[in-house]
Every structure is written in structure tokens, then in C-alpha cells.
Amino acid sequence: FEAQPFLTVSFCALTPIPFVLVRIVAVAARYHPGRFLLANAIGRFPRFWAYGALGVVIPVATRDLVLGGLALTVVLGVVALLRRYRQGAARRTARPLPALDTE
């Protein structure tokens, strides 16, 4: 990031790698916000354009998109609830360790 911050931000905005890491590094390095926004826009524009072009080539009905989004939301919600339940069950069944004698 120190050598080429503009290129790093643009590249990471273009690729599917987690962009939150770049945001954290940019803030920590006190990178200029205007340059960050410009690099972000330059990196994201081609990706979003490609998504739009793909949507023209592969038409999907609005109803199918809505139903798919709802189904994904329900599945992710159930997974989150199950994880929370399992973590709570693990905490309830955990027993404290016996104290060690240091004498």
C-alpha cells in the first residue's frame, strides 16, 4: 500500500477480495479521501458495468430475482440462528475448570 496506494485501492475495488481491509489501511495511512474515492470509483466502475452487461446478456425475470433474494435471506437467517443457538448451548454446558493447587 505504501508504494502505490492509488493502484492498490483501484485493484482491490476491481477484484472480489475483501475491500474492508483496504479501507482500514487507507484510514491508518491517512490516505487522502478524494484520491481514495477516485481510485474506488475507477476500480468499481468496470466491475459494475460487467454485472450490468451480464444482466443484459442473461435476462432474469424480476420475480425470480426477488424470490431468489428472499430465499437467500431466509437461508442465511436460519444459519445465523442455528449458530447462535449452538454457541449458547455450548456456553450453557461448559463447566468451569477445577482450580490448580500451586503450593
Side-chain angles (χ1 to χ4, degrees):
F1 187 86
E2 285 184 21
Q4 294 287 332
F6 191 87
L7 185 62
T8 302
V9 171
S10 296
F11 178 75
C12 292
L14 178 65
T15 61
I17 63 174
F19 192 69
V20 69
L21 300 174
V22 176
R23 290 182 194 159
I24 293 169
V25 171
V27 170
R30 297 182 185 264
Y31 189 56
H32 188 271
R35 291 183 189 141
F36 177 81
L37 290 174
L38 180 63
N40 191 9
I42 289 172
R44 287 185 186 239
F45 178 77
R47 186 173 65 168
F48 290 139
W49 184 84
Y51 290 154
L54 189 64
V56 170
V57 173
I58 305 171
V60 179
T62 303
R63 180 184 65 89
D64 295 338
L65 285 173
V66 170
L67 290 176
L70 287 174
L72 184 62
T73 302
V74 168
V75 167
L76 291 176
V78 167
V79 168
L81 287 173
L82 286 174
R83 291 180 86 189
R84 181 177 287 190
Y85 174 75
R86 288 181 183 165
Q87 287 174 354
R91 286 186 192 131
R92 287 189 296 271
T93 59
R95 296 181 183 160
L97 295 173
L100 295 175
D101 290 330
T102 57
E103 296 178 16

